[in-house]
Amino acid sequence: MTSADTAALYPGTGEPDRLAAARLGATADWRVYDHVRAHGRTAPAALAGDLGIRSEEAEAALARLTERHLVHRDPADPCRGTALSPQAALADLTAEVEARIAAETATHQQRLAVLREDIQRFTRLTHPGVHGAEPDAVRLLPDITAVQALLQQEADRCRDEVIACQPGDVSRNPENLEPALVRDRALLERGIRMRTLQQHAVRFHGPTQAYVAAATALGGEYRTAHELFGRLIVFDDTVAFLPADTVTWGAVVVREPHLIAYLRGIFEQAWTHATAFVDTTTLGAEALEEAARDIDTTLLSLLADGLKDETIARRLGLSLRTVRRRVADILERLGAESRFQAAVIATRTGLFDTPADTGTPPLPGE
């Protein structure tokens, strides 16, 4: 999403632009932070003289560090200050942002409640004999049993194409892949085109590799990306399945044509930028190494954004144990003592700056 898109959704905030302007990562940031921690001096001119940098650089770095609560200037003496640990700074920022999110969420929930009530009132007016009935355009399936039954019905009726996006943790039960392959085989043998998006992590999951190899041999198409937009299945551009929750594994079934067209547009954009997933026995190690580097670079970026391991695991479709192991490995390869320092090193060495069409640079030590 661009800053213009965000501004359209949240007019008058200017928040994304302000945060972008204060993004940490320049070499001067680390040097100024280290110097304040050691000497407690926060006067830009003094910092510039001690570090051998321009006064403007020192002032800009100090502003970024202050913005991120990494440096606190003494209210009584602006030339003096203290440096907080990254963990303490993150705790302060997290509390600030969470309070703001809670306030905004409450506002949006109130707006949603009003919109829902308006639509329900309109539905009752236009269909006076069907009070409380769900419109056919959107229907809620309460549990996995109902979802699987309707999925099978729609698969049997399908005549043209199925598109699916299936992000998630590859530690799921491999036995679930067998009934999926039975359903997919029936579709492919009828000449139905099937395209599926998954995450890079599945390239390292044996049962999924075997499943993809078998389905690809029948004509299925599979691509992977480091992050995906969410779970989705669409049959013939007439019915779409969206997740309802992860407790009952219910689903929202959509038949409204404009909404389905919008969902297909999101899928096609992700499909265009994804990488083909073919049989690893013919692909070789190079593509697997590239996918691993892509995962690690994205993981570093998420660490730099201050996300927790649990959130990163969900975003990348990895188990929590795998995320923590890869983080430890990345810190060791970068020679960093903390996640904050790893993000600084990654920014300084250009790991976040490589355009998508030129490939992902290797981490130091690879």
Side-chain angles (χ1 to χ4, degrees), residues 158 160-164 187 192-195 233-236:
C158 186
D160 185 25
E161 182 185 31
V162 181
I163 58 174
L187 286 163
I192 307 299
R193 186 185 185 191
M194 186 184 324
R195 291 186 291 158
I233 302 176
V234 180
F235 294 93
D236 284 342

Side-chain angles (χ1 to χ4, degrees), residues 193-268:
R193 186 185 185 191
M194 186 184 324
R195 291 186 291 158
T196 304
L197 281 168
Q198 295 180 301
Q199 289 178 282
H200 282 334
V202 301
R203 292 175 178 264
F204 308 96
H205 187 241
T208 303
Q209 291 172 359
Y211 165 82
V212 169
T216 301
L218 295 169
E221 301 171 58
Y222 294 83
R223 294 187 182 183
T224 66
H226 57 282
E227 287 189 89
L228 293 174
F229 53 86
R231 195 169 297 278
L232 169 70
I233 302 176
V234 180
F235 294 93
D236 284 342
D237 283 343
T238 59
V239 57
F241 289 75
L242 300 170
D245 59 59
T246 57
V247 177
T248 65
W249 293 101
V252 176
V253 181
V254 178
R255 299 183 188 274
E256 203 289 314
H258 296 87
L259 181 52
I260 291 177
Y262 177 78
L263 294 170
R264 170 175 276 278
I266 295 175
F267 175 89
E268 295 294 352

Side-chain angles (χ1 to χ4, degrees), residues 1-218:
M1 181 179 289
T2 65
S3 57
D5 294 332
T6 307
L9 291 172
Y10 303 97
T13 62
E15 185 70 8
D17 291 337
R18 183 178 69 81
L19 292 176
R23 191 69 184 264
L24 289 173
T27 302
D29 295 340
W30 176 255
R31 296 181 64 195
V32 168
Y33 173 81
D34 200 44
H35 195 277
V36 172
R37 182 173 57 181
H39 304 286
R41 304 178 70 181
T42 57
L47 288 169
D50 290 346
L51 298 175
I53 60 177
R54 292 182 292 109
S55 181
E56 294 83 358
E57 286 185 88
E59 188 168 2
L62 190 62
R64 288 190 290 268
L65 292 165
T66 302
E67 177 73 24
R68 289 295 187 270
H69 292 206
L70 288 163
V71 168
H72 282 187
R73 304 178 79 170
D74 188 344
D77 183 4
C79 294
R80 304 292 300 175
T82 57
L84 274 67
S85 70
Q87 292 78 11
L90 181 59
D92 284 352
L93 288 170
T94 299
E96 240 181 52
V97 173
E98 285 180 345
R100 190 178 307 162
I101 289 173
E104 291 179 354
T105 299
T107 300
H108 291 311
Q109 286 176 339
Q110 291 174 358
R111 291 175 180 172
L112 181 60
V114 171
L115 291 172
R116 184 181 290 114
E117 175 58 29
D118 283 347
I119 296 299
Q120 289 175 345
R121 185 184 302 113
F122 184 79
T123 301
R124 289 193 293 271
L125 289 173
T126 54
H127 298 82
V130 195
H131 294 291
E134 274 188 319
D136 289 340
V138 179
R139 177 185 174 193
L140 177 64
L141 299 180
D143 53 46
I144 188 63
T145 302
V147 172
Q148 290 176 339
L150 188 56
L151 275 174
Q152 188 60 58
Q153 291 178 24
E154 296 299 337
D156 293 341
R157 282 197 287 259
C158 186
R159 293 294 177 266
D160 185 25
E161 182 185 31
V162 181
I163 58 174
C165 182
Q166 297 180 342
D169 185 354
V170 297
S171 63
R172 59 186 178 274
N173 188 349
E175 293 179 0
N176 294 335
L177 296 173
E178 186 174 346
L181 182 58
V182 172
R183 184 173 61 238
D184 294 348
R185 181 187 298 274
L187 286 163
L188 292 167
E189 289 179 345
R190 298 205 319 263
I192 307 299
R193 186 185 185 191
M194 186 184 324
R195 291 186 291 158
T196 304
L197 281 168
Q198 295 180 301
Q199 289 178 282
H200 282 334
V202 301
R203 292 175 178 264
F204 308 96
H205 187 241
T208 303
Q209 291 172 359
Y211 165 82
V212 169
T216 301
L218 295 169

Side-chain angles (χ1 to χ4, degrees), residues 284-296:
E286 183 177 347
L288 292 178
E289 291 174 358
E290 182 178 347
R293 286 196 298 269
D294 197 2
I295 291 172
D296 285 349

